[in-house]
Amino acid sequence: MSIRLHFFIATVLLLLSAHFSFAQTATVTGNVRDSSGLAVEGALIAFQGSTKAVYTDATGNFSIEVPADKNVVLTINRLGYNETKRTVNVPAGETLNVSINLKGNNTLGTQVVVSNRIYDPGIPIPPRVFDHLPSPSGDITAILRFAGATSNNELSTQYMVRGGNFDENLVYINGIEIYRPILTRAGQQEGLSFPNPDMTENIMFSAGGFEAKYGDKMSSVLDVRYKRPTRFRSTLSMSLLGINASAEGISDDTRFTWMIGIRQKSNRYLLRSLDTKGDYVASYTDAQGLFTYDITDNWTLQYLGGMSMNKYNLTPATRETDFGTLNNALRFTVYFEGQVLNKFQTQFHSLSLNYAGAGKWTHRWTVSVFNSYETETFDVLGQYYIDQLEADFGKPTFGQVAFNRGVGSFLNHARNYLDAWITNGEYQGSWYGDRHTFTYGLKFQHESIVDELSEWNYVDSAGYSVPFYPLESFDLQDVVKSRAQLYSNRITGFVQYRFADTLRDSSQLVFTFGMRSHYWDMNGQTIFSPRMQLKWMPHWKRNVIFTAAGGLYSQPPFYRELRNYNGTLNRNVKAQTAVHAVLGTDITFKAWKRDFRFIGELFYKYLDNLNPYEVNDVRIRYFGDNLAYGYAYGIDLRLYGEFVKDAESWVSVSLLRTQENLYNDYYRIYLNSDGDTIIPGYTLNNVPVDSITNYPGMIPRPSDQLLTFGLYFQDYLPILPDCKMNLGLILGTGMPFGPPNHQRYQQVFRMPPYRRVDIGFSYQIIKPRPQTDESGKKKIFKSLWAGLEVFNLLQVNNTISYYWIKDVTGRSYAVPNYLTNRQISVRVIAQF
């Protein structure tokens, strides 16, 4: 009886103690960053006198339960950093939010590790540095031109990386993959990419050799992290090209945060500088929201979603384009009838449930849906004249029409409709140890794509259909007639292991290895993609990191890769593959007593099972089969720092060579009895001719751009630091092109180099300051900027593509399609 009584009393005391302990707890949440402001992932948060501990997530956030109403000493540890302690005292049941900065350790007493860059999966890009970047797009992708990506079209948000095309790049926002519209064929039809710069906190970009946790693409990954608000703030930006507005806030108990961004852009002002004159209606409207709620200290619910509407309507009137050489100058004049009506409507919704417990585990469950409804309709009739211009400087008619070389007309028709739904369910988990980290995930994706395509072109010259077939009906070109319903499922998964440690000689080593798997029931193919990254910071040079990365990067086909030129679907297209090998170095140093960072990478990619394609503006048309192999190699060099004190600038130089060889590719050249070339690939009216078989071999890929140079430079007046100058300069050698006959071996001509300079001048009218004055009256503006921007300062006619026409003799003319001319815009940025 006595034993039972003791047991009962002990049980009651235990329950009362547990209840008392539960009632006397509080919560500490926060964010951990390094000295450069980058989030520190995997930092251990604990407090003295307890075994309870948590790890920071990928954005540096953490949440831990601590005893209430007493001083608690938090300890923060991470390999490569000095231990940091923070004393907190939180009332029972309340939450305290803290910000913690870690400093690199100084094990040898020489140089300090400035940041956690040894853990960076790519190049960290501080978005605020580019807030005043003069760019017609006003988009995050404009920043990538200074970080290793290539873009020769200021009207487009698409980019190429190391010999890849627009479809080979991954984009993530808060760990969720983002997709882009499918039917767009010209940069002026595009609006803005999904990432909103005003909502962005961190940008990480990898141009190759990226980790297995990222998806199945062959070229690059852009990982964007949106902010988690800590207080209310709002921003308004206006220019002649559109308006951006954003607002964010946090609840009194800090559990609920919200952020909303709205963008409206119109390219009408820019498009009026194109050669084609007419009535342009080009508007893009986008609204996004991020809402986060901490259900408990360990469980967080997050919604990320957005909707966009892009309208592009054109009623063309005339076009006049001068082209050719000084000695053979031509003028292409067109008078139009008809109109273009395009609409692209997309929506994206995701819901994530995150768990970050007191132990070493984190979990995330995500469901998301993406929809794109696209319509592309046009009937455009044009009557054109090809005129020879006077090239004699001594004549008063120099530069005027000397005589006509041909007339003709064309009719372009399209009725294209597409409705695509992509639904995902995904789980990701992580385990953090002292030196070991395991990350793993599983994803199911369902795709539903319904389309109806009907398009063709007709070209007539001097009353004859081109190409001319006597006694036969006229011939339509580029005919696509198709209806399709595609329903498919994908299952992907990955496992990734990371080892990080300080070795006996005090050097630091981070080794990451992972394996991805991808199954698609459309073609029944299962692929495995091993990937590896190694980073080493030697003890004898603490400001240098040597890197090596590589692996197999497979890209299963999506909707676009399945279609060939006539619209026929090939459901048996297999995954394209790229074997990456990357060697690099990352050096931080001081010059003029200011911090700089240099990143250099040598890369080689072996490409196989390639699906060849042609590019016209931003429209990619695939051959619809695995027909080639190839390679890409080069070097990327990037330097950024304060060339001018307190004004960070970026310089990027890239060298590239990429080619491909079609399997069993050859063509015949037919000769007459005199040995003269007749027509490649054709017989000649049953006249006996000889032929020569030619094997083209390696052909430059459409993305083969030998040299690109990017400079983003910031400066200010020493006597007036609030008056700043921002300059963006892009140089790139010519891209390959050829006649639109789908013969890859003829795509060996080169466009002129791309040269563009944009410059902006801004003045900070109101500096950041307290929101109330001495009398307690609330102020409207926190800060206010006003600026002037000049696009294409040097008035260079950059070529994006060519329009091919023929006269009745069969002679072809490649008429360049020029991009925008010099334009001036004004811009105002206000923070409230």
Side-chain angles (χ1 to χ4, degrees), residues 87-163:
T87 301
V88 296
N89 191 322
V90 190
E94 295 190 8
T95 300
L96 175 67
N97 187 271
V98 297
S99 296
I100 298 171
N101 292 318
L102 296 183
K103 294 183 178 180
N105 58 24
N106 191 8
T107 307
L108 297 181
T110 55
Q111 295 180 335
V112 175
V113 180
V114 179
S115 70
N116 66 330
R117 54 197 177 95
I118 196 171
Y119 304 103
D120 294 341
I123 301 173
I125 302 175
R128 301 287 73 84
V129 172
F130 294 88
D131 279 344
H132 298 278
L133 171 67
S135 169
S137 69
D139 196 86
I140 278 182
T141 55
I143 302 174
L144 301 182
R145 297 181 299 175
F146 309 101
T150 300
S151 175
N152 288 355
N153 188 347
E154 66 272 8
L155 295 175
S156 173
T157 61
Q158 309 305 322
Y159 55 92
M160 300 172 291
V161 178
R162 293 181 178 175

Side-chain angles (χ1 to χ4, degrees), residues 26-31 61-64 90 93-98 228-232 249-258 291-297 299-301:
T27 302
V28 177
T29 64
N31 186 267
N61 293 324
F62 71 90
S63 177
I64 187 171
V90 190
E94 295 190 8
T95 300
L96 175 67
N97 187 271
V98 297
R228 177 155 185 175
T230 57
R231 60 182 177 84
F232 175 80
I250 186 171
S251 63
D252 292 338
D253 61 1
T254 71
R255 287 192 175 275
F256 177 71
T257 63
W258 58 273
F291 304 92
T292 303
Y293 180 68
D294 294 332
I295 303 172
T296 67
D297 297 337
W299 292 89
T300 301
L301 188 66

Side-chain angles (χ1 to χ4, degrees), residues 11 284 292 359 378 387 395 482 488 508 548 576 707:
T11 303
Y284 176 89
T292 303
F378 55 80
D387 298 315
K395 293 184 178 181
S482 176
S488 63
Q508 294 184 14
Q576 303 179 85
L707 171 67

Side-chain angles (χ1 to χ4, degrees), residues 16 96-97 122 216 252 324 343 419 435 526 541 566 588 610 640 671 698 714 716 756 789 792 795 808 827:
L16 290 175
L96 175 67
N97 187 271
D216 298 293
D252 292 338
K343 183 172 71 173
D419 189 13
R435 295 178 299 171
T526 301
K541 205 69 174 175
N566 59 16
T588 59
L610 292 178
Y640 51 95
L671 309 174
M698 286 291 178
Q714 298 190 90
Y716 56 86
R756 185 176 179 90
E789 298 175 324
N792 197 358
Q795 186 76 352
V808 71
R827 187 181 182 193

Side-chain angles (χ1 to χ4, degrees), residues 288-460:
Q288 296 182 35
L290 176 66
F291 304 92
T292 303
Y293 180 68
D294 294 332
I295 303 172
T296 67
D297 297 337
N298 299 328
W299 292 89
T300 301
L301 188 66
Q302 183 179 92
Y303 166 81
L304 171 64
M307 300 184 67
S308 66
M309 173 68 74
N310 183 11
K311 292 183 179 180
Y312 176 79
N313 300 338
L314 169 62
T315 304
T318 62
R319 169 178 175 173
E320 184 176 283
T321 302
D322 293 341
F323 65 104
T325 63
L326 183 63
N327 296 324
N328 185 27
L330 302 173
R331 175 170 294 167
F332 178 62
T333 306
V334 189
Y335 298 94
F336 294 101
E337 292 183 15
Q339 63 178 341
V340 177
L341 300 175
N342 295 338
K343 183 172 71 173
F344 306 93
Q345 179 178 323
T346 62
Q347 57 178 319
F348 170 79
H349 306 279
S350 68
L351 190 66
S352 299
L353 180 63
N354 299 273
Y355 174 79
K360 300 182 178 182
W361 295 91
T362 64
H363 307 277
R364 189 185 72 182
W365 296 264
T366 303
V367 292
S368 63
V369 59
F370 170 84
N371 171 244
S372 182
Y373 180 73
E374 308 176 25
T375 63
E376 183 186 47
T377 61
F378 55 80
D379 284 293
V380 177
L381 173 65
Q383 184 172 2
Y384 63 84
Y385 301 83
I386 306 174
D387 298 315
Q388 184 78 43
L389 302 182
E390 180 58 61
D392 189 345
F393 282 101
K395 293 184 178 181
T397 57
F398 173 76
Q400 300 179 17
V401 175
F403 58 88
N404 179 264
R405 300 189 62 166
V407 298
S409 60
F410 59 84
L411 177 61
N412 299 331
H413 166 89
R415 295 291 186 275
N416 297 331
Y417 307 93
L418 181 140
D419 189 13
W421 289 86
I422 302 173
T423 307
N424 292 290
E426 182 179 9
Y427 164 76
Q428 282 195 19
S430 297
W431 180 86
Y432 295 95
D434 294 336
R435 295 178 299 171
H436 311 275
T437 302
F438 290 93
T439 308
Y440 49 90
L442 185 65
K443 178 180 177 180
F444 173 81
Q445 177 171 301
H446 175 72
E447 300 163 5
S448 172
I449 302 176
V450 178
D451 72 359
E452 180 179 349
L453 306 180
S454 175
E455 64 177 274
W456 47 263
N457 300 322
Y458 173 70
V459 180
D460 167 88

Side-chain angles (χ1 to χ4, degrees), residues 13 48 67 136 167 188 215 233 270-271 301 354 372 412 553 584 613-615 661 709 711 720 726 753 764 773 824:
L13 291 176
Q48 297 178 358
D167 293 332
Q188 56 261 39
R233 71 181 74 186
L270 282 175
L271 298 181
L301 188 66
N354 299 273
S372 182
N412 299 331
Y553 295 80
Y613 63 92
E614 292 179 359
V615 178
N661 187 6
F709 174 81
L711 170 65
L720 191 61
N726 302 79
Q764 191 171 23
D773 56 21
I824 297 177

Side-chain angles (χ1 to χ4, degrees), residues 776-790:
K777 185 178 180 180
K778 190 174 181 62
K779 298 177 180 179
I780 298 177
F781 296 103
K782 179 182 177 183
S783 69
L784 180 65
W785 287 87
L788 176 72
E789 298 175 324
V790 183

